[in-house]
């Protein structure tokens, strides 16, 4: 047990953790479940705590109210806030605890949480992971959920001393998406195993990016209806075989008919078996005679119950073929695919018919324009936010805020860390899908309509364990398995400039036509790699922070999305750094001067009786006008 670093959560700490959730409680997962204390305390209404020790109960007045024939105490009702959990899933590495977890009604997802690949259907994660791997477990939870809250306990030193990349990333996520509270004496009182370690209680709220309107897609689907099958043009647009939907519907109908007959046969068999009576061994064990019979009840009810369960499972299987078809692997981004999968429970409620499949796929097709726009922006933001080394800063063309800051990806090389490996060397499914997103984006930007030699195919032909440089259509890359990092080398500067121009124009960081800008604006944009080094040097010299994650590129992206209220100091500092370096180099970025041809055409001064003052050089005249 000690090998698993088993320190069960106390009831008082559990109440503090449950109180941190802000959304309505849905499907809850405890990925370090132990004996299930966190779930059990909630289901039992924290019966071992005084009312003043339960945060949300203390907020209610200690009054009574009449409910029908019964008198109910308000605080007692409030204590049961989390008693009826809709659905609970758990992960627990120690098999000795599995029986007690199943008694709680929990679904067992697996043994080792770090091997769980997706928690896309989870709404809340509540966890007390091993203290020595707290950051790793919380980050894995963040990477595997799609739209969920996470509440976790980690050692306080994990946050106070972010010396590793994992800890730095966790601190960054807390500052960006959550909060942290430091507590003492949480494992010293009435707990199963004691330790005086100070803990950090973390709350994270992960919200998906927009890009796929599931409500609009569901609008094209309805329950219990038959309708037209998917037409060939739509199949072609989604790279689906023409008979894919028809074949899937046919197999589903055949499986449903077979399941119906099987359930009816099983019900009849069970009924007749019960009428035959018990075996000799069963009679002896139960101490009954040959006249003892056990009824299975109504054959019809027995058959219907079995068929309903079989039908629900078959429907999930059939929809899964559509959700994970070529549609999602070839057309949708990883983010959009996750959004669809997170809505799987709603999709499963729909009848599996050609009409509904048609409505679902038609909704996706109509969303393709927005999907690709968001794919490009999501990839751009991910590259920018993964590492400051990937970023070039420049003064933007216009902005609705006081900060005029634009960013672009470096044209010579960029680095993306945190790829997860599968079986020690190859990428896992989610990491491979991220590479596929890069292929989709750059194929789209360069007008590719068919499969090409992209990063996914390049990675598959890479020799195991090698960090050699692999050449693909738009990028060379090196993969460093030990650190899970890939270095990308664009085949040409124009390759990356495609995405920089697309995002820059969309966000008004650059003009729609670069000829609208003056020479200084073009210069600071084109020479951004060398100037950004000067910006960052000046930025770091102005730093007064001693704690936390300091990333001006991330601050720019967050301010753009309206979530960067805490990053104003970083924005002010990088803005000041850019302005200072521009002043040093005499750069005055702005629109092109329409007055230039007029000044060049001025006639020579006429001869006058008094000597005229020496005119300013034309360059200085332009500087004055620009100022």
């Amino acid at each position: 047990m000690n090998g698993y670093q088993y320190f069960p959560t106390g009831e008082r700490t559990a109440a503090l953790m449950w109180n941190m959730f802000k959304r309505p409680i849905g499907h809850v997962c405890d990925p370090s479940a132990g004996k299930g204390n966190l779930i059990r305390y909630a289901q039992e209404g924290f019966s071992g705590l005084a009312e003043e020790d339960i945060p949300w109960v203390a907020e209610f007045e200690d009054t009574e109210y009449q409910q029908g024939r019964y008198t109910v105490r308000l605080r007692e009702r409030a204590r049961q806030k989390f008693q009826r959990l809709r659905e609970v899933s758990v992960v627990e590495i120690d098999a000795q605890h599995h029986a007690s977890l199943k008694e709680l009604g929990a679904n067992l997802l697996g043994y080792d949480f770090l091997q769980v690949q997706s928690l896309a259907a989870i709404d809340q994660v509540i966890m007390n992971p091993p203290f020595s791997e707290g950051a790793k477990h919380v980050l894995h939870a963040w990477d595997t959920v799609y739209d969920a809250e996470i509440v976790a306990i980690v050692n306080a030193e994990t946050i106070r001393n972010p010396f590793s990349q994992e800890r730095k990333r966790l601190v960054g996520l807390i500052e960006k998406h959550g909060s942290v509270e430091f507590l003492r004496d949480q494992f010293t009182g009435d707990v199963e195993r004691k330790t005086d370690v100070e803990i950090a209680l973390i709350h994270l709220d992960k919200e998906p990016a927009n890009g796929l309107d599931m409500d609009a897609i569901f609008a094209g689907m309805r329950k219990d209806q038959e309708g037209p099958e998917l037409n060939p043009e739509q199949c072609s647009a989604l790279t689906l075989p023409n008979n894919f939907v028809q074949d899937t519907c046919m197999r589903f109908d055949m499986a449903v008919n077979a399941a119906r007959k099987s359930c009816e046969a099983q019900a009849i068999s069970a009924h007749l078996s019960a009428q035959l009576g018990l075996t000799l061994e069963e009679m002896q064990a139960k101490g009954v005679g040959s006249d003892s019979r056990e009824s299975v009840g109504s054959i019809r009810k027995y058959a219907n119950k079995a068929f309903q369960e079989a039908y629900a499972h078959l429907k999930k299987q059939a929809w899964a073929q559509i959700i994970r078809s070529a549609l999602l692997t070839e057309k949708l981004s990883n983010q959009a695919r996750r959004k669809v999968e997170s809505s799987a429970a709603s999709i499963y409620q729909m009848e599996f018919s050609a009409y509904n499949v048609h409505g679902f796929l038609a909704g996706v097709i109509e969303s393709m324009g927005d999907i690709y726009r968001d794919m490009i922006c999501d990839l751009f933001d991910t590259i920018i936010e993964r590492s400051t080394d990937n970023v070039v800063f420049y003064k933007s063309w216009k902005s609705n805020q006081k900060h005029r800051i634009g960013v672009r990806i470096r044209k010579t090389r960029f680095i993306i860390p945190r790829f997860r490996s599968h079986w020690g060397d190859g990428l896992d499914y989610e990491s491979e899908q991220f590479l596929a997103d890069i292929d989709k984006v750059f194929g789209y930007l360069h007008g590719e309509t068919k499969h090409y030699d992209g990063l996914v195919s390049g990675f598959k032909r890479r020799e195991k364990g090698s960090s050699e440089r692999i050449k693909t259509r738009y990028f060379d890359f090196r993969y460093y398995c030990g650190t899970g990092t890939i270095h990308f080398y664009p085949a040409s500067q124009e390759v990356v400039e495609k995405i920089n121009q697309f995002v820059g124009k969309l966000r008004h960081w650059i003009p729609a036509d670069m000829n609208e800008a003056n020479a200084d604006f073009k210069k600071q944009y084109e020479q951004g790699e060398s100037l950004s080094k000067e910006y960052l040097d000046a930025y770091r010299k102005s730093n007064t922070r001693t704690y936390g994650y300091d990333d001006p590129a991330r601050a720019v992206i967050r301010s753009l999305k309206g979530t960067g209220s805490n990053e104003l100091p970083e924005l002010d500092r990088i803005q000041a750094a850019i302005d200072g370096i521009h002043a040093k180099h005499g750069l005055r970025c702005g629109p092109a001067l329409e007055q230039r041809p007029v000044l060049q055409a001025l006639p020579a001064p006429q001869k006058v009786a008094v000597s005229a003052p020496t005119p300013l050089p034309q360059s200085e005249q332009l500087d004055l006008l620009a100022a």
Side-chain angles (χ1 to χ4, degrees), residues 519-520 523-524 531 535 581-589:
D520 283 351
K523 180 178 180 180
Q524 61 103 27
L531 287 172
Y535 302 152
I581 298 303
H582 280 200
K584 172 184 172 183
H585 291 286
L587 296 173
R588 295 181 176 87
C589 301

Side-chain angles (χ1 to χ4, degrees), residues 35 155 171 247 378 386 490 531 590:
K35 294 179 180 178
N155 190 320
V171 169
D247 285 353
D378 287 344
R386 286 284 180 100
L531 287 172

Side-chain angles (χ1 to χ4, degrees), residues 2 57 71 112 122 131 157 160 166 181 232 243 275 288 297 307 327 339 368 372 442 461 505 534 562-563 620-621:
N2 290 342
V57 172
T71 300
D112 185 354
I122 299 299
F131 281 157
E157 278 298 296
R160 295 192 188 279
E166 280 183 345
E181 181 180 356
N243 60 348
Q275 291 303 305
V288 296
F307 176 69
L327 161 67
K339 189 164 188 177
M368 279 298 178
Y372 271 106
F442 282 91
R461 69 171 183 269
K505 291 176 182 178
E534 296 185 56
T563 58
E620 293 187 26
Q621 295 179 39

Side-chain angles (χ1 to χ4, degrees), residues 338-357:
R338 286 183 178 183
K339 189 164 188 177
V340 172
E341 291 185 6
S342 72
S343 303
S346 299
I347 297 174
Y348 292 157
Q349 298 303 313
M350 312 305 295
E351 182 193 22
F352 187 79
S353 65
Y355 182 94
N356 280 342
V357 174

Side-chain angles (χ1 to χ4, degrees), residues 26-81:
H27 188 168
V28 179
C29 178
D30 182 351
S32 308
K35 294 179 180 178
N37 283 12
L38 289 171
I39 304 300
R40 181 177 291 105
Y41 292 143
Q43 291 179 339
E44 294 176 353
F46 300 91
S47 57
L49 293 181
E51 290 172 354
E52 58 266 25
D53 290 332
I54 306 176
W56 63 91
V57 172
E59 298 173 3
F60 290 86
E61 294 182 3
D62 190 10
T63 57
E64 297 181 344
Y65 69 99
Q66 199 70 23
Q67 188 176 44
R69 294 180 299 166
Y70 304 99
T71 300
V72 180
R73 287 186 65 236
L74 198 61
R75 285 193 171 183
E76 188 62 30
R77 176 62 61 86
R79 177 190 287 273
Q80 300 167 1
K81 178 179 180 180

Side-chain angles (χ1 to χ4, degrees), residues 20 22 150 152-160 170-171 173-183 198-204 547:
M20 295 187 82
K22 297 178 174 60
I150 299 170
I153 294 174
V154 299
N155 190 320
E157 278 298 296
T158 302
I159 309 302
R160 295 192 188 279
L170 179 56
V171 169
L173 288 176
I174 293 170
E175 293 189 345
K176 184 177 179 181
H177 298 286
S179 62
V180 62
E181 181 180 356
F182 297 96
L183 301 172
E198 182 184 15
I199 66 167
L201 197 55
I202 297 169
H203 174 261
L204 295 173
Y547 163 79

Side-chain angles (χ1 to χ4, degrees), residues 89-239:
S89 295
V90 295
V91 181
E92 175 50 36
I93 199 167
D94 190 345
Q96 297 180 58
H97 300 322
H98 288 182
S100 60
L101 292 171
K102 291 178 180 178
E103 289 177 2
L104 298 175
N107 306 311
L108 184 65
L109 299 182
Y111 290 80
D112 185 354
F113 175 52
L114 296 179
Q115 298 301 317
V116 173
Q117 295 298 309
S118 177
L119 295 177
I122 299 299
D123 299 300
Q124 279 87 19
V125 174
I126 187 167
M127 61 193 302
N128 175 10
F131 281 157
S132 65
E133 294 186 323
K136 180 183 292 186
H137 279 244
V138 177
L139 291 175
H140 187 65
W142 177 267
D143 289 336
T144 51
V145 299
Y146 176 73
D147 183 3
E149 290 179 283
I150 299 170
V151 172
I153 294 174
V154 299
N155 190 320
E157 278 298 296
T158 302
I159 309 302
R160 295 192 188 279
N161 182 22
F163 63 84
S164 67
Q165 289 300 317
E166 280 183 345
R167 292 187 176 188
K168 287 177 181 176
R169 185 186 174 209
L170 179 56
V171 169
L173 288 176
I174 293 170
E175 293 189 345
K176 184 177 179 181
H177 298 286
S179 62
V180 62
E181 181 180 356
F182 297 96
L183 301 172
R184 291 188 176 275
D185 303 325
Q186 298 300 302
F187 289 86
T188 57
D190 188 17
V191 295
E192 186 174 336
R193 296 189 66 208
K194 293 179 171 55
T195 176
D196 60 357
V197 66
E198 182 184 15
I199 66 167
L201 197 55
I202 297 169
H203 174 261
L204 295 173
D205 193 345
K206 185 174 182 180
E207 296 181 355
N210 294 326
L212 194 62
D213 187 350
M214 293 306 299
D215 291 335
I217 290 175
F218 284 138
M221 304 165 62
R222 60 189 186 210
K223 296 182 180 179
D224 302 324
Q225 295 284 342
E226 291 299 330
E229 297 183 348
L230 187 68
N231 62 49
E233 289 76 14
Q234 287 175 324
C235 286
S236 176
L238 297 170
T239 64

